[in-house]
Coordinates of all heavy atoms in Angstrom, one line a residue:
G64 N 89.5 108.6 79.0 CA 89.9 107.6 79.9 C 88.8 107.0 80.7 O 87.7 107.6 80.8
T65 N 89.0 105.9 81.3 CA 88.0 105.2 82.2 C 88.8 104.8 83.4 O 90.0 104.8 83.4 CB 87.4 104.0 81.6 OG1 88.4 103.0 81.4 CG2 86.8 104.4 80.2
P66 N 88.1 104.4 84.5 CA 88.9 103.9 85.7 C 89.8 102.7 85.3 O 90.8 102.6 86.0 CB 87.7 103.4 86.6 CG 86.6 104.4 86.3 CD 86.7 104.6 84.8
L67 N 89.4 102.0 84.3 CA 90.3 100.8 83.9 C 91.6 101.3 83.4 O 92.6 100.6 83.4 CB 89.6 100.0 82.8 CG 90.1 98.6 82.6 CD1 90.1 97.8 83.8 CD2 89.3 97.9 81.4
W68 N 91.7 102.6 82.9 CA 93.0 103.1 82.4 C 94.0 103.2 83.5 O 95.2 103.4 83.2 CB 92.7 104.4 81.8 CG 92.2 104.3 80.4 CD1 91.3 103.4 79.9 CD2 92.5 105.2 79.3 NE1 91.0 103.7 78.6 CE2 91.7 104.7 78.2 CE3 93.3 106.3 79.1 CZ2 91.8 105.3 76.9 CZ3 93.4 106.9 77.8 CH2 92.6 106.4 76.7
A69 N 93.6 103.2 84.8 CA 94.6 103.2 85.9 C 95.4 101.9 86.0 O 96.5 101.9 86.6 CB 93.8 103.5 87.2
L70 N 94.8 100.9 85.5 CA 95.4 99.5 85.7 C 96.9 99.4 85.2 O 97.7 98.9 85.9 CB 94.6 98.5 85.0 CG 94.8 97.0 85.4 CD1 94.6 96.8 86.9 CD2 93.9 96.1 84.6
P71 N 97.2 99.9 84.0 CA 98.6 99.7 83.6 C 99.7 100.3 84.5 O 100.7 99.7 84.8 CB 98.7 100.5 82.2 CG 97.3 100.3 81.7 CD 96.4 100.5 82.9
S72 N 99.4 101.5 85.0 CA 100.4 102.2 85.9 C 100.4 101.4 87.2 O 101.5 101.2 87.8 CB 100.0 103.6 86.1 OG 100.2 104.4 85.0
L73 N 99.3 101.0 87.7 CA 99.2 100.3 89.0 C 99.9 99.0 89.0 O 100.7 98.6 89.8 CB 97.8 100.1 89.5 CG 97.0 101.4 89.8 CD1 95.6 101.1 90.2 CD2 97.7 102.2 90.9
V74 N 99.7 98.2 87.9 CA 100.3 96.9 87.7 C 101.8 97.1 87.5 O 102.7 96.4 88.1 CB 99.6 96.1 86.6 CG1 100.4 94.8 86.4 CG2 98.2 95.8 87.0
G75 N 102.1 97.9 86.5 CA 103.5 98.1 86.1 C 104.4 98.6 87.2 O 105.5 98.1 87.5
L76 N 104.0 99.8 87.8 CA 104.8 100.4 88.8 C 104.8 99.6 90.1 O 105.7 99.6 90.9 CB 104.4 101.8 89.0 CG 105.1 102.8 88.0 CD1 106.6 102.8 88.2 CD2 104.7 102.6 86.6
G77 N 103.7 98.8 90.3 CA 103.6 97.9 91.5 C 104.7 96.9 91.3 O 105.4 96.5 92.3
G78 N 104.8 96.3 90.1 CA 105.9 95.4 89.9 C 107.2 96.0 90.1 O 108.2 95.3 90.6
A79 N 107.4 97.2 89.7 CA 108.7 97.9 89.8 C 109.1 98.0 91.3 O 110.2 97.9 91.7 CB 108.6 99.3 89.2
V80 N 108.1 98.3 92.2 CA 108.3 98.3 93.6 C 108.9 97.0 94.1 O 109.8 96.9 94.9 CB 107.0 98.7 94.4 CG1 107.2 98.5 95.9 CG2 106.7 100.2 94.1
V81 N 108.3 95.9 93.7 CA 108.7 94.6 94.1 C 110.1 94.3 93.7 O 111.0 93.8 94.4 CB 107.7 93.5 93.5 CG1 108.3 92.1 93.8 CG2 106.3 93.6 94.1
V82 N 110.4 94.6 92.4 CA 111.8 94.4 91.9 C 112.8 95.2 92.6 O 113.9 94.7 93.0 CB 111.8 94.7 90.4 CG1 113.3 94.7 89.9 CG2 111.0 93.7 89.6
L83 N 112.5 96.5 92.9 CA 113.4 97.4 93.6 C 113.7 96.8 95.0 O 114.8 96.8 95.4 CB 112.8 98.8 93.6 CG 113.7 99.8 94.3 CD1 115.0 100.0 93.5 CD2 112.9 101.2 94.4
R84 N 112.6 96.4 95.7 CA 112.8 95.9 97.0 C 113.7 94.7 97.0 O 114.6 94.5 97.9 CB 111.4 95.6 97.7 CG 110.6 96.9 97.9 CD 111.0 97.7 99.1 NE 110.6 97.0 100.3 CZ 111.0 97.3 101.5 NH1 111.8 98.4 101.6 NH2 110.7 96.7 102.6
M85 N 113.4 93.8 96.1 CA 114.1 92.5 96.1 C 115.6 92.8 95.7 O 116.5 92.2 96.3 CB 113.5 91.6 95.1 CG 112.1 91.0 95.5 SD 111.4 90.0 94.2 CE 112.6 88.6 94.2
A86 N 115.8 93.6 94.7 CA 117.2 93.9 94.2 C 118.0 94.6 95.3 O 119.2 94.1 95.6 CB 117.2 94.7 93.0
V87 N 117.5 95.6 95.9 CA 118.3 96.3 96.9 C 118.5 95.5 98.2 O 119.5 95.6 98.8 CB 117.6 97.7 97.3 CG1 118.3 98.4 98.4 CG2 117.5 98.6 96.0
A88 N 117.5 94.6 98.5 CA 117.7 93.7 99.6 C 119.0 92.9 99.5 O 119.6 92.5 100.4 CB 116.5 92.8 99.8
R89 N 119.3 92.5 98.2 CA 120.5 91.7 98.0 C 121.8 92.5 98.2 O 122.9 91.9 98.2 CB 120.5 91.2 96.5 CG 119.9 89.8 96.4 CD 118.5 89.8 96.8 NE 117.8 88.5 96.6 CZ 116.6 88.2 96.9 NH1 115.8 89.2 97.4 NH2 116.1 87.0 96.8
L90 N 121.7 93.8 98.3 CA 122.9 94.7 98.5 C 123.2 94.8 100.0 O 124.2 95.4 100.4 CB 122.7 96.0 97.9 CG 122.5 96.1 96.4 CD1 122.3 97.5 96.0 CD2 123.7 95.5 95.7
R91 N 122.3 94.3 100.8 CA 122.5 94.3 102.3 C 123.1 93.0 102.8 O 122.8 92.0 102.2 CB 121.2 94.6 103.0 CG 120.6 95.9 102.6 CD 119.4 96.3 103.6 NE 118.9 97.6 103.1 CZ 117.8 97.7 102.3 NH1 117.2 96.6 101.9 NH2 117.4 98.9 102.0
P92 N 124.0 93.1 103.8 CA 124.7 91.9 104.3 C 123.7 90.9 104.8 O 122.7 91.2 105.5 CB 125.6 92.4 105.3 CG 125.0 93.7 105.8 CD 124.4 94.3 104.6
V93 N 123.9 89.6 104.5 CA 123.1 88.5 105.0 C 123.4 88.4 106.5 O 122.5 88.2 107.3 CB 123.4 87.2 104.3 CG1 122.7 86.0 104.9 CG2 123.0 87.3 102.8
D94 N 124.6 88.4 106.9 CA 125.1 88.4 108.2 C 125.4 89.8 108.7 O 126.4 90.3 108.2 CB 126.2 87.4 108.4 CG 126.7 87.3 109.9 OD1 126.1 88.0 110.7 OD2 127.5 86.4 110.1
R95 N 124.7 90.4 109.5 CA 124.9 91.8 109.9 C 126.2 91.9 110.7 O 126.7 93.0 110.9 CB 123.7 92.3 110.7 CG 122.5 92.4 109.9 CD 121.3 93.1 110.6 NE 120.1 93.2 109.8 CZ 119.0 93.8 110.1 NH1 118.9 94.3 111.4 NH2 118.0 93.8 109.3
R96 N 126.8 90.8 111.1 CA 128.1 90.9 111.8 C 129.2 90.9 110.8 O 130.4 91.2 111.1 CB 128.3 89.8 112.8 CG 127.2 89.8 113.9 CD 127.3 88.5 114.7 NE 127.0 87.3 113.8 CZ 127.0 86.1 114.2 NH1 127.4 85.8 115.4 NH2 126.7 85.1 113.4
A97 N 128.9 90.6 109.6 CA 129.9 90.5 108.6 C 130.3 91.9 108.0 O 129.6 92.8 108.2 CB 129.4 89.6 107.4
E98 N 131.5 91.9 107.4 CA 131.9 93.2 106.9 C 131.7 93.2 105.4 O 132.1 94.2 104.7 CB 133.4 93.4 107.2 CG 133.7 93.5 108.6 CD 133.1 94.7 109.2 OE1 133.0 95.8 108.5 OE2 132.6 94.7 110.4
S99 N 131.1 92.2 104.8 CA 130.9 92.2 103.4 C 129.7 91.3 103.1 O 129.2 90.6 103.9 CB 132.1 91.6 102.6 OG 132.3 90.3 103.0
I100 N 129.2 91.4 101.8 CA 128.1 90.5 101.4 C 128.8 89.4 100.7 O 129.8 89.5 100.1 CB 127.1 91.2 100.6 CG1 127.7 91.7 99.3 CG2 126.5 92.4 101.3 CD1 126.6 92.3 98.3
T101 N 128.1 88.3 100.6 CA 128.6 87.1 100.0 C 128.5 87.1 98.5 O 127.7 87.9 97.9 CB 127.9 85.9 100.6 OG1 126.5 85.9 100.1 CG2 127.9 85.8 102.1
A102 N 129.2 86.2 97.9 CA 129.1 86.0 96.4 C 127.6 85.6 96.1 O 127.1 86.0 95.1 CB 130.0 85.0 95.9
M103 N 127.0 84.8 97.0 CA 125.6 84.4 96.8 C 124.7 85.7 96.7 O 123.8 85.8 95.9 CB 125.1 83.5 97.9 CG 123.7 83.0 97.7 SD 123.5 82.1 96.2 CE 124.4 80.6 96.7
D104 N 125.0 86.7 97.6 CA 124.3 88.0 97.5 C 124.4 88.6 96.2 O 123.5 89.2 95.6 CB 124.7 88.9 98.7 CG 124.4 88.3 100.0 OD1 123.3 87.7 100.2 OD2 125.2 88.5 100.9

């Protein structure tokens, strides 16, 4: 291996972090006073 071999894991799992954050954010209510999330969510 070389230092460049670190790139696949950093890029791939870095992207996984972004997807996870974005997807789970859609599971939280847009309006915190609401009792449900919207169809748009």
Side-chain angles (χ1 to χ4, degrees):
T65 68
L67 195 59
W68 281 37
L70 195 60
S72 292
L73 294 179
V74 173
L76 277 300
V80 169
V81 173
V82 171
L83 182 63
R84 295 282 288 170
M85 291 178 63
V87 174
R89 268 62 180 179
L90 297 179
R91 298 193 180 94
V93 175
D94 184 353
R95 295 186 178 182
R96 295 169 299 177
E98 295 298 325
S99 64
I100 65 174
T101 66
M103 182 63 70
D104 294 322

